[in-house]
Amino acid sequence: MNAKIEVLKIVDVKKGVPKTTTLQIALGLGVQHKSVIQLVRSYKSDFSEFGLVTFEMSNSAFEMSNWEHRQSTRGRHTEYAALNEQQATLLLTYMRNSPKVREFKKALVRAFFEARTLLQTDYFFLLQKREALNAKLECEKDIASACGKGLSTWKKQRDILQTAITNVDRQIQPCLFE
């Protein structure tokens, strides 16, 4: 199996911790998510030895291709487990070593290694800093744009109001000398 598995889609860094999900593992292995999450549920106490096992909900049509009897993907919620590196490794050790599973195990190890490397370098910090600076730049641009529009509107109103004041001043002048 020479298919490349994209690293960033297998492992994601959340709050500084590399994680994957049972959805990603099922997708990477090409199996039904139901069988993967069932392993986690069956051996939850084993997985808990390596950290809190969190179950989350996703509104996705992830498994629709595996379900022949379902007609609609709307409103379907899929429960999945978010797993740290040790939990994901344990899960894969509970699976049979087919060529596909072995290939995915290697890809998962690489993905976690690369995620940890990113966290250990300044690269991840610099990416976050760049995103924050870019967001601030966009905000400042929006403020400047709004100010520019406001200044343009004020200049138009200023000219109209000054003309109106001058006209009222002319009307007042004859009244002052009577």
Side-chain angles (χ1 to χ4, degrees):
M1 179 176 180
N2 291 331
K4 279 207 162 200
I5 298 171
E6 192 174 326
V7 170
L8 295 177
K9 293 193 176 197
I10 299 173
V11 174
D12 190 23
V13 177
K14 294 180 182 176
K15 297 181 181 178
V17 178
K19 296 246 182 180
T20 191
T21 67
T22 52
L23 290 170
Q24 290 304 102
I25 291 172
L27 189 62
L29 293 172
V31 298
Q32 288 188 358
H33 177 251
K34 179 181 174 182
S35 62
V36 175
I37 197 159
Q38 185 57 46
L39 271 174
V40 175
R41 286 187 185 121
S42 295
Y43 301 104
K44 187 177 177 192
S45 62
D46 293 354
F47 290 98
S48 295
E49 290 180 32
F50 297 98
L52 179 66
V53 179
T54 58
F55 292 91
E56 300 174 15
M57 294 295 281
S58 168
N59 189 7
S60 73
F62 171 76
E63 225 181 324
M64 286 300 132
S65 61
N66 295 325
W67 288 32
E68 296 173 6
H69 303 294
R70 302 259 331 202
Q71 298 295 322
S72 171
T73 61
R74 291 185 186 168
R76 181 166 188 281
H77 294 281
T78 302
E79 184 182 38
Y80 64 93
L83 306 172
N84 64 29
E85 184 175 4
Q86 294 85 4
Q87 292 165 336
T89 303
L90 181 63
L91 175 61
L92 289 176
T93 62
Y94 287 175
M95 296 180 172
R96 289 192 181 117
N97 270 332
S98 69
K100 199 175 215 178
V101 171
R102 287 191 353 260
E103 195 65 31
F104 186 76
K105 284 179 182 181
K106 291 188 293 185
L108 186 66
V109 167
R110 281 188 205 100
F112 272 110
F113 179 80
E114 289 184 24
R116 272 187 277 113
T117 301
L118 280 178
L119 287 171
Q120 292 170 353
T121 65
D122 289 342
Y123 181 74
F124 188 76
F125 170 76
L126 291 173
L127 278 178
Q128 287 180 320
K129 187 174 183 178
R130 185 185 187 285
E131 286 179 22
L133 290 170
N134 194 46
K136 183 160 177 65
L137 177 66
E138 289 298 315
C139 183
E140 294 295 330
K141 185 174 101 176
D142 291 343
I143 291 170
S145 177
C147 290
K149 290 175 186 172
L151 182 60
S152 175
T153 302
W154 175 78
K155 285 181 179 178
K156 290 176 189 173
Q157 290 297 317
R158 177 195 62 192
D159 294 341
I160 293 169
L161 291 171
Q162 285 177 334
T163 302
I165 289 170
T166 303
N167 286 338
V168 170
D169 284 347
R170 284 188 202 138
Q171 291 173 359
I172 290 176
Q173 288 301 324
C175 295
L176 294 176
F177 295 108
E178 292 181 5

